Amino acid sequence: MECSYKISVLKLLKARNVKEHSFGETIKYANKLLEKLDYLQKANAHKNFQTFVSDQDSPGVADHFGGPAQRANCENLQKSLAESHAKISKLAEQVIDLKDTLDTKNLLVTKQSTELDKVQVELRSSQELVRSLKLELTCFKNALQSKSDDYTVLNISHSCVENKKNELEIGNKKLRSQLSKYEEEREVFLRTETQRNFLEIENKKLKAQIEMLQGLKEHCLSVESQLNDLEIENKKLKSQITMLKETREHSPRSGSVESLGSADGNKKAVRTAKVEGLLPSSRSSSSQETHAHSKSPIPDKRKITFVAHDSDVNAVMWYPHPAYLITAGSDRRLKLWEVTENDAKLVNSARDCNSSILSIDIDNKASTVLCASSDFSSRLWDVSGFKLGHTLTGHSAKVMSAKFIKESDNIITGSLDKTLKLWGKNKMLCTLTFSSESSVNDVVSRDSSTIISGHADRKIRFWDVRAKKSTSTIDAAGAVTSVDVSKNLLLASEQGGGLKIFDLRTCKELTSMEAASFKIVCCWTRAKFSQDGKYCCCGSDNGSVFIWNCGTGALERELKGHGSSVISCGWSICGSYLATCEADRKCIIWSKLK
């Protein structure tokens, strides 16, 4: 557009130069004609003066001194004068014509000068337009450059994802064949395990019954010995009674009969008291169990069910105030809810992620929310206005987990690119990177210097921030989907398996928790300790939430209410409420049955 405009302006300028050049030639020619006219007028006037002088001075003398020659000369002069007058008249006509053409040309020049002024005004406006268009063009170029940079980054990430996808498809084919074999072996193992558990329970019951029967047998033997003693004494009494009958013929019979009846009643009372003494222990134990069960703080009633997101709800966490709840999902939204008696009201919502949010955490001051996203980054939001603060970029695959480190201002993130990254909360820069042998599914901190991570290669790794390396590992039975810490205990969930509790001081397994219908399928399914560390919970693929006793490993509750796989759960600080979320947009808040 700019080149065509310049060409048109140059054409107009060239046409103007041609017209001015033609005007200059016309003016020069007119000036020459005027000069000739002036010269001829002067010559004519001089000749007229000479003829007049000659006529006045001596007309007779002229005739006397050669009149014919002078006459001929005079005639010639008159002819030349007539010719000069004719030329002057022609030149005057030409000058008049030239003046007319000059006037027309001047009018044309004035008209073209006005048009030129208009063109100059238009040129100035067009130059300003060109400047503004140049500025816009530079802005567009900068935007295009940024978009092209984003496009190259996306292409690089897409190529990485494609390569990983191909690798995963190849590995998936191998795993499917292994999985089919493993499923068959697992079904056989589960059958044998259920049979073994059933037989163990039956064995325990039989042992208890045998012990009870042995106690009854011993008690019956003692009772029989006492009965034998009583029968001997009874015989002695009968013999004494016969002797008394013989000696005391005048004494009343009723008294003896009553004394005998009282003796037999005492024997029966003693016998029943000893037999019934076995029952109170079992009754008291059952009453104690029901009393303890009634005092259990485990939520067992569905209080509120609400639709939290437009797609999968991947993370849920209680705000330190028990009336507020934070959720995140595959619809790229982070939401804050106010929990009332019968409903959950949306307080605020943010959507600044480019892909699904997989985990959330809140700092100790309850002022900043941290989330991990599938777009290879983590983000920080201000809780007060739900405004995006900073974006942590550096991973080359999905960020599965992001947590605030205890007793510190740092942040730890774990990704499927087999790395863990340590970030300064204030500087927002990656200060340390740990490289592992497998993709990271979850991270948690024990203290400011110890990081614990769960991996897809069935290992739990411990990382020392000060030593900048891995210090120890724990082997699991399946891919570790989550890790959680309570005091000196570590809770880990295994894909396709159950939950396990380890002692952080010795790194040894303390408790293994499983159930027949419990199964973890999603690699970001999270298990959580209760606030007091006495219980733990986790969601299952069948839509149930399972709660175990951490001390005994016994299953306390199976909460049913979800319609799809339960992904995450979270206990309130008071311990009276449990929030769970599923893959089908819903969240459920559970409370204690009153």
Side-chain angles (χ1 to χ4, degrees):
M1 179 179 177
E2 185 177 359
C3 293
S4 62
Y5 180 79
K6 287 182 177 180
I7 290 167
S8 62
V9 171
L10 289 171
K11 287 181 180 179
L12 291 172
L13 292 173
K14 286 180 180 179
R16 186 193 66 182
N17 291 333
V18 169
K19 290 176 183 179
E20 288 181 356
H21 184 67
S22 62
F23 290 154
E25 290 179 351
T26 305
I27 291 166
K28 287 180 182 179
Y29 186 65
N31 290 328
K32 286 180 181 179
L33 291 175
L34 290 172
E35 288 176 358
K36 287 182 180 180
L37 181 63
D38 190 17
Y39 175 74
L40 290 172
Q41 285 178 353
K42 287 180 180 180
N44 190 13
H46 182 68
K47 287 181 179 180
N48 288 329
F49 178 74
Q50 286 180 355
T51 55
F52 177 75
V53 169
S54 62
D55 290 336
Q56 290 291 331
D57 288 339
S58 58
V61 176
D63 292 333
H64 179 74
F65 288 102
Q70 289 182 355
R71 285 182 192 144
N73 192 8
C74 185
E75 288 175 358
N76 291 327
L77 288 172
Q78 286 178 355
K79 287 179 182 179
S80 62
L81 182 62
E83 289 175 358
S84 64
H85 280 295
K87 288 181 180 179
I88 287 168
S89 62
K90 287 180 181 179
L91 290 173
E93 290 176 357
Q94 289 179 0
V95 168
I96 291 165
D97 292 336
L98 288 173
K99 282 184 180 180
D100 293 335
T101 55
L102 185 63
D103 292 334
T104 55
K105 297 260 180 157
N106 285 328
L107 290 173
L108 184 62
V109 166
T110 54
K111 191 183 291 184
Q112 287 181 351
S113 64
T114 54
E115 290 179 356
L116 184 62
D117 294 334
K118 290 180 181 179
V119 170
Q120 286 178 352
V121 172
E122 291 177 355
L123 180 63
R124 293 190 193 95
S125 62
S126 61
Q127 285 176 351
E128 293 177 356
L129 181 63
V130 167
R131 291 192 195 95
S132 62
L133 289 173
K134 283 183 179 179
L135 292 174
E136 290 180 359
L137 184 61
T138 53
C139 295
F140 283 133
K141 283 182 180 178
N142 295 328
L144 183 62
Q145 185 64 35
S146 63
K147 294 291 181 183
S148 64
D149 295 337
D150 294 338
Y151 180 70
T152 53
V153 171
L154 288 173
N155 279 331
I156 293 167
S157 61
H158 180 69
S159 61
C160 294
V161 170
E162 285 293 327
N163 293 328
K164 289 183 180 179
K165 181 183 176 183
N166 295 328
E167 293 176 358
L168 288 173
E169 285 179 352
I170 295 167
N172 195 10
K173 289 178 181 178
K174 295 178 181 178
L175 288 174
R176 281 178 184 172
S177 60
Q178 294 178 0
L179 184 63
S180 60
K181 295 178 182 179
Y182 174 74
E183 287 292 333
E184 292 175 358
E185 293 175 357
R186 187 171 177 274
E187 287 177 0
V188 175
F189 177 74
L190 288 174
R191 288 195 205 99
T192 55
E193 282 290 322
T194 52
Q195 290 176 359
R196 187 175 64 83
N197 293 330
F198 179 74
L199 290 173
E200 285 180 355
I201 293 167
E202 292 293 327
N203 193 12
K204 288 179 182 179
K205 290 180 180 178
L206 290 172
K207 285 180 179 179
Q209 289 178 359
I210 289 168
E211 291 176 356
M212 184 176 175
L213 289 172
Q214 286 178 354
L216 286 171
K217 185 178 178 182
E218 291 176 357
H219 187 70
C220 287
L221 290 173
S222 64
V223 169
E224 285 180 358
S225 64
Q226 290 177 3
L227 285 173
N228 293 327
D229 294 336
L230 288 172
E231 286 178 355
I232 294 167
E233 289 178 0
N234 194 11
K235 288 179 181 179
K236 289 179 180 179
L237 287 172
K238 284 181 180 180
S239 63
Q240 290 177 2
I241 287 169
T242 55
M243 289 174 67
L244 287 171
K245 283 181 180 179
E246 291 177 354
T247 55
R248 296 180 185 178
E249 291 178 355
H250 299 288
S251 63
R253 284 183 188 175
S254 62
S256 64
V257 173
E258 287 175 359
S259 64
L260 182 63
S262 64
D264 292 336
N266 289 328
K267 292 176 186 177
K268 291 179 181 179
V270 170
R271 190 180 300 171
T272 54
K274 289 181 179 179
V275 172
E276 291 177 355
L278 297 170
L279 298 175
S281 62
S282 62
R283 289 175 185 169
S284 63
S285 64
S286 64
S287 64
Q288 287 173 1
E289 287 177 1
T290 54
H291 183 67
H293 184 70
S294 63
K295 288 187 176 181
S296 174
I298 302 171
D300 50 9
K301 181 186 71 171
R302 183 167 58 179
K303 183 180 180 182
I304 300 171
T305 303
F306 62 98
V307 177
H309 291 267
D310 296 334
S311 57
D312 299 354
V313 187
N314 295 326
V316 62
M317 186 177 185
W318 287 94
Y319 192 70
H321 193 286
Y324 293 93
L325 186 72
I326 301 173
T327 62
S330 296
D331 59 354
R332 302 180 288 170
R333 288 189 180 277
L334 184 71
K335 295 185 178 183
L336 177 65
W337 303 87
E338 181 181 2
V339 180
T340 59
E341 186 65 26
N342 298 316
D343 195 8
K345 297 179 180 179
L346 182 62
V347 178
N348 213 331
S349 176
R351 186 180 180 181
D352 292 302
C353 289
N354 297 322
S355 187
S356 303
I357 301 174
L358 299 178
S359 79
I360 53 176
D361 194 20
I362 192 165
D363 63 349
N364 294 327
K365 298 178 182 178
S367 61
T368 306
V369 177
L370 171 67
C371 79
S373 176
S374 296
D375 62 355
F376 307 171
S377 62
S378 302
R379 289 172 174 81
L380 291 164
W381 274 278
D382 184 10
V383 175
S384 61
F386 253 48
K387 294 180 180 179
L388 180 63
H390 295 279
T391 301
L392 312 180
T393 57
H395 287 287
S396 60
K398 288 182 182 179
V399 182
M400 300 296 290
S401 179
K403 300 285 179 66
F404 289 103
I405 297 177
K406 295 180 180 178
E407 304 171 1
S408 171
D409 288 333
N410 295 330
I411 294 168
I412 187 70
T413 58
S415 171
L416 294 181
D417 62 0
K418 302 180 182 180
T419 62
L420 291 86
K421 289 184 181 289
L422 186 70
W423 310 80
K425 184 182 176 184
N426 297 325
K427 296 179 181 178
M428 296 304 141
L429 297 174
C430 179
T431 58
L432 184 61
T433 300
F434 296 109
S435 297
S436 65
E437 298 175 1
S438 177
S439 57
V440 185
N441 288 332
D442 196 13
V443 292
V444 71
S445 64
R446 183 184 180 186
D447 49 41
S448 60
S449 60
T450 305
I451 308 298
I452 306 169
S453 59
H455 297 262
D457 62 350
R458 305 181 180 183
K459 290 186 183 295
I460 301 170
R461 291 179 171 86
F462 292 79
W463 308 86
D464 192 339
V465 175
R466 292 171 293 189
K468 300 181 180 180
K469 64 179 181 178
S470 176
T471 56
S472 60
T473 59
I474 298 175
D475 293 330
V480 181
T481 65
S482 70
V483 286
D484 194 21
V485 172
S486 177
K487 299 178 181 177
N488 291 320
L489 300 178
L490 172 66
L491 174 66
S493 59
E494 299 173 352
Q495 191 170 6
L499 307 184
K500 289 184 179 179
I501 295 178
F502 299 90
D503 190 345
L504 288 173
R505 295 167 293 188
T506 60
C507 293
K508 291 183 179 180
E509 182 181 336
L510 298 178
T511 311
S512 179
M513 296 162 286
E514 294 181 352
S517 58
F518 178 73
K519 186 178 181 181
I520 296 175
V521 177
C522 181
C523 62
W524 57 85
T525 300
R526 311 300 187 192
K528 288 291 182 182
F529 275 116
S530 62
Q531 294 296 326
D532 55 6
K534 294 181 180 179
Y535 301 95
C536 62
C537 67
C538 187
S540 174
D541 186 50
N542 65 350
S544 297
V545 181
F546 291 80
I547 301 175
W548 284 275
N549 189 313
C550 295
T552 62
L555 180 64
E556 295 285 345
R557 291 282 190 282
E558 181 181 355
L559 306 177
K560 296 181 179 180
H562 285 283
S564 61
S565 177
V566 180
I567 297 175
S568 181
C569 51
W571 299 81
S572 64
I573 291 179
C574 61
S576 301
Y577 300 99
L578 176 66
T580 57
C581 60
E582 64 177 35
D584 191 18
R585 307 180 300 161
K586 292 181 182 178
C587 281
I588 296 179
I589 297 174
W590 309 83
S591 64
K592 182 72 178 70
L593 183 63
K594 295 182 180 180

